Amino acid sequence: MKAEFIAHGKCNFTVEDNIIIIDATGPWNLEFFQQMHRDLSEIILRDVDFYNFAILLVLKGDSFATQEGLDYHLNLVRKGPTKALALNSALSNAAPITQSVFKKIYDQANLANQNFESTESAKAWLRTKLT
């Protein structure tokens, strides 16, 4: 029997045009990723053009995730319609590790992605990926 845990980590969503900004503070477990993807799905269906949106992921704090959570995340990212993803880990306590782990996931999902040190430069890059 598999135990269910409460979600560790938190995130907030904002939408600017067709860019979904996810402000996430770790660490994260599987339950966090499950809840985050449920919330994200609602936003995608309600607030952006389903066929033309991008994501800016701003990682903060102890931005570490369980392998189970990362595997779940990769599976859903592979299936998703996101055009591109920008990652800003400047506020992460472990930026180099975080960038490496998440880049690997997004590369495996064949999702255009890039790391940035500033939110504004990340948004500018994402706008070039939208039609």
Side-chain angles (χ1 to χ4, degrees):
M1 182 170 152
K2 188 171 179 176
E4 287 287 319
F5 297 98
I6 60 168
H8 291 152
K10 61 182 178 180
C11 68
N12 296 303
F13 299 89
T14 54
V15 177
E16 293 179 16
D17 300 315
N18 279 324
I19 298 174
I20 301 170
I21 303 164
I22 304 172
D23 189 296
T25 303
W28 308 291
N29 61 359
L30 172 62
E31 291 75 14
F32 166 83
F33 283 102
Q34 291 169 331
Q35 183 62 53
M36 191 257 316
H37 277 281
R38 280 191 295 270
D39 295 344
L40 181 58
S41 293
E42 289 179 24
I43 290 167
I44 291 168
L45 293 172
R46 183 186 64 223
D47 297 330
V48 296
D49 177 348
F50 184 82
Y51 300 103
N52 188 44
F53 74 93
I55 294 176
L56 169 55
L57 183 56
V58 180
L59 303 180
K60 297 179 177 178
D62 295 327
S63 52
F64 299 105
T66 63
Q67 188 60 52
E68 188 178 35
L70 291 171
D71 292 342
Y72 178 88
H73 183 57
L74 172 59
N75 184 48
L76 291 180
V77 170
R78 274 188 175 135
K79 298 174 186 175
T82 308
K83 291 264 191 163
L85 183 135
L87 180 73
N88 180 346
S89 58
L91 299 175
S92 167
N93 294 339
I97 294 169
T98 298
Q99 289 171 0
S100 175
V101 167
F102 281 92
K103 177 152 185 52
K104 181 179 175 185
I105 286 175
Y106 301 129
D107 286 349
Q108 287 177 346
N110 294 316
L111 176 61
N113 69 90
Q114 192 166 324
N115 290 305
F116 293 89
E117 294 295 317
S118 112
T119 296
E120 289 311 311
S121 58
K123 287 179 193 176
W125 179 77
L126 288 171
R127 284 185 203 102
T128 69
K129 301 298 180 187
L130 299 176
T131 55

